[in-house]
Amino acid sequence: MVTQYKNLINGEMVTTGEWLDVVNPANEEVIGQVPACGQGELDKAVAAARAAFKTWKNTPIEERRAAIMAISGAIKENADELYRLLTSEQGKPHDQAKGEIYGAAGMSAAQSTLELAEEITEDSDTRLSRTRRVPVGVVGGIVPWNFPVMMAVQKIAPAMLSGCTIVLKPSPFTPLTTLRIAELIADKVPAGVVNIITGEDDLGPMITAHPDIDKITFTGSTATGKKIMEGASADLKRITLELGGNDASIVMPDADPKKVAEQLFWASFSNAGQICVAAKRTYIHEDIYDELSQAIADYAKNITVGDGAQQGTGVGPIQNKKQYDRVVELISDAKDNGYKFLTGGDVDPSGTGYYVPITILDNPPEDARIVAEEQFGPVMPLMKFSTEEEAIARANASEYGLAGAVWTADTDNGVKIAEQLETGTVWVNEFLHLSPFAPFGGHKQSGFGAEYGTEGLKEFTYPQVITVKKDNVVA
Ligand code: NAD
């Protein structure tokens, strides 16, 4: 008997009676079912969120913080169960799933401490003017399948803190852990403040179009982000779009190949490369190219691709068949064009599970599809460069602008290079680190707006300026 997971609407765990199957990407077995919601359930969830907003927006901030901490605590207390469930639906190895679960608990706890202080914008002889942040109302949150728990929590926590209520839709590929968390928090959060509903992809446009939702916070592909922007224009909903990336690493000639090989590997292959900010293009200076590319390929040979639930697995399967087919197509295109592989490239489509071998390409051209497109899989093209200016220009020659990194012994110069990269986040000598106190967001077609930090929190509010004339001419 497959476990059935319910939705959270107005504080109750409910179902429609119609179910969607959820598959384990490691073995293609159905491991759970979730409700298939349509317009009717969405309307109920939005009505509950709207009703709850009336009191939640006026609930003292300390109570709102406490409710977020209760969610964080529930996640932490049940981490053992949750990370195993996450691996079974998402595919990532147990240690990485554990990282996501504890990360979600930690990030939400940290976000609960953020402040949105009022600002005095004028205090003159004639007037006192203050700017306060007012919650926008009911938020629609739409989440992808690569970090389902982290992405859900990073929308729920700031929405709650700001005084908004939320209707959240997980990806149909990875809804189970989020719904299990919904069950754990149902009695810890006032009814209607957090609603979590599941459905096929067509539930997304219904959320975007819903007249009683005030804002959409979306994480997912650039293609879907464009549709959301179009849909949200009908009633000018506020939108935050966290979209795709084709993030570049630049490795300067003073980097020690022995020290950076392992880090560069994991910058690209954590979560089987399915990270919006994974290093998807790695530019290595020609002086160290041969040594470093070989060191990365050698390191890769010791990493096991397999079921994330098995001990020793470093890289799990691709999360779903559609994405698997896309990555396989990019690898086939690279083969058809005669690009050189340092390792990997041989996919076995006859097996069970969506496995792609760790694939590293040796200096493919800049216009190769596997370089120019976001692969979102365990694929890493290594490219040679000669000058700093050239590396910066090539890194910036992308429609995306999410993240990037510079690897160098000279961190001052690393910062100078970082300042020239056209991305929302740049790391010097690391990758993937995000802070709950710093804004995370993209430039160009990687989206706009931010999550995390006070800037992220402000996205759930609008500024209201109240100006009082000091010489009261009315009295
Ligand atoms: P996706 O765009 O296919 O789906 C994301 C979510 O949108 C899912 O819940 C899906 O059901 C829903 N959806 C689908 N069609 C919709 C529509 N027309 N209207 C509204 N919602 C709709 O993305 P994905 O394949 O789940 O995720 C992978 C992509 O997400 C990659 O491009 C990756 O780079 C990006 N991503 C970005 C970030 C970031 O923070 N910038 C983080 C993680 C993933």
Side-chain angles (χ1 to χ4, degrees):
M1 174 72 188
V2 168
T3 310
Q4 295 182 323
Y5 295 77
K6 292 181 179 171
N7 284 178
L8 175 59
I9 299 180
N10 204 20
E12 309 264 318
M13 297 308 293
V14 295
T15 181
T16 54
E18 281 180 55
W19 300 94
L20 298 174
D21 288 343
V22 179
V23 167
N24 181 341
N27 54 27
E28 299 177 51
E29 282 170 15
V30 175
I31 48 164
Q33 289 187 319
V34 299
C37 290
Q39 190 67 48
E41 292 76 26
L42 173 62
D43 287 347
K44 280 185 202 152
V46 174
R50 176 61 59 195
F53 179 61
K54 284 196 195 89
T55 36
W56 187 247
K57 68 179 175 187
N58 295 319
T59 300
I61 186 107
E62 289 314 323
E63 276 179 47
R64 301 207 294 253
R65 290 193 214 282
I68 298 168
M69 286 306 293
I71 295 176
S72 168
I75 294 173
K76 211 168 4 176
E77 277 156 33
N78 294 278
D80 271 5
E81 175 199 344
L82 294 173
Y83 85 72
R84 288 170 200 278
L85 183 58
L86 179 58
T87 291
S88 71
E89 65 173 335
Q90 205 286 330
K92 64 187 65 181
H94 271 163
D95 60 334
Q96 294 176 34
K98 229 186 247 184
E100 180 172 347
I101 296 296
Y102 281 105
M107 285 296 225
S108 50
Q111 279 180 293
S112 80
T113 65
L114 292 170
E115 300 279 353
L116 269 189
E118 281 190 6
E119 262 181 83
I120 302 292
T121 33
E122 183 178 341
D123 188 1
S124 62
D125 291 345
T126 45
R127 46 181 77 80
L128 177 64
S129 193
R130 64 190 176 95
T131 305
R132 60 194 284 267
R133 306 298 311 198
V134 184
V136 288
V138 175
V139 173
I142 304 177
V143 173
W145 45 257
N146 61 337
F147 280 84
V149 176
M150 183 66 99
M151 305 284 156
V153 165
Q154 80 190 38
K155 298 190 183 328
I156 291 171
M160 288 174 69
L161 186 63
S162 69
C164 291
T165 55
I166 185 164
V167 176
L168 185 105
K169 186 193 91 61
S171 165
F173 293 117
T174 52
L176 302 183
T177 317
T178 311
L179 290 185
R180 178 68 185 116
I181 292 170
E183 197 179 348
L184 294 168
I185 65 168
D187 61 355
K188 294 186 165 56
V189 174
V193 170
V194 177
N195 305 273
I196 304 181
I197 61 171
T198 47
E200 301 268 23
D201 278 352
D202 63 356
L203 186 58
M206 291 179 212
I207 294 176
T208 314
H210 202 290
D212 215 18
I213 290 181
D214 302 285
K215 178 202 165 65
I216 303 291
T217 170
F218 171 76
T219 304
S221 63
T222 294
T224 307
K226 289 178 186 177
K227 289 184 196 155
I228 289 183
M229 194 165 173
E230 207 179 323
S233 72
D235 56 0
L236 285 180
K237 278 188 182 65
R238 276 67 186 128
I239 47 177
T240 300
L241 299 177
E242 297 287 359
L243 309 178
N246 197 1
D247 315 86
S249 259
I250 297 175
V251 192
M252 299 302 286
D254 58 3
D256 181 344
K258 284 184 244 17
K259 291 194 177 145
V260 291
E262 181 176 344
Q263 296 184 68
L264 287 169
F265 176 87
W266 287 112
S268 289
F269 292 100
S270 295
N271 204 29
Q274 304 161 111
I275 307 185
C276 53
V277 292
K280 293 165 190 141
R281 300 177 286 156
T282 302
Y283 295 97
I284 303 174
H285 192 272
E286 59 190 2
D287 288 358
I288 56 167
Y289 182 86
D290 290 343
E291 189 185 348
L292 179 53
S293 57
Q294 200 48 56
I296 297 170
D298 289 346
Y299 182 82
K301 287 182 188 128
N302 297 318
I303 303 300
T304 306
V305 176
D307 183 342
Q310 301 290 326
Q311 217 180 350
T313 294
V315 172
I318 297 282
Q319 199 285 320
N320 60 72
K321 177 74 165 66
K322 191 171 149 217
Q323 184 61 21
Y324 169 85
D325 288 343
R326 188 182 139 65
V327 175
V328 170
E329 189 201 318
L330 284 177
I331 293 174
S332 306
D333 177 79
K335 281 190 157 176
D336 293 348
N337 280 287
Y339 306 143
K340 207 171 142 205
F341 290 72
L342 281 169
T343 186
D346 294 320
V347 184
D348 172 14
S350 66
T352 309
Y354 309 134
Y355 296 105
V356 170
I358 292 166
T359 297
I360 302 177
L361 283 100
D362 183 8
N363 206 23
E366 205 66 16
D367 62 354
R369 282 188 63 200
I370 211 148
V371 179
E373 296 180 24
E374 179 186 43
Q375 316 98 7
F376 227 58
V379 174
M380 182 196 216
L382 304 178
M383 276 83 64
K384 213 183 272 192
F385 73 89
S386 308
T387 67
E388 193 176 299
E389 295 69 32
E390 175 205 339
I392 294 166
R394 289 168 72 180
N396 283 339
S398 168
E399 67 198 22
Y400 294 110
L402 194 59
V406 186
W407 304 82
T408 176
D410 179 352
T411 49
D412 289 345
N413 193 44
V415 170
K416 280 192 197 133
I417 296 171
E419 286 172 355
Q420 294 175 74
L421 295 182
E422 297 162 355
T423 60
T425 297
V426 192
W427 294 281
V428 177
N429 295 337
E430 69 168 332
F431 225 99
L432 306 178
H433 168 77
L434 297 180
S435 159
F437 305 113
F440 170 66
H443 180 42
K444 302 184 196 171
Q445 293 195 35
S446 291
F448 50 77
E451 290 190 296
Y452 294 134
T454 47
E455 270 185 74
L457 190 55
K458 279 183 182 168
E459 301 249 329
F460 293 88
T461 67
Y462 65 92
Q464 183 187 48
V465 183
I466 298 183
T467 303
V468 179
K469 189 91 187 297
K470 283 189 178 168
D471 57 337
N472 190 338
V473 291
V474 178

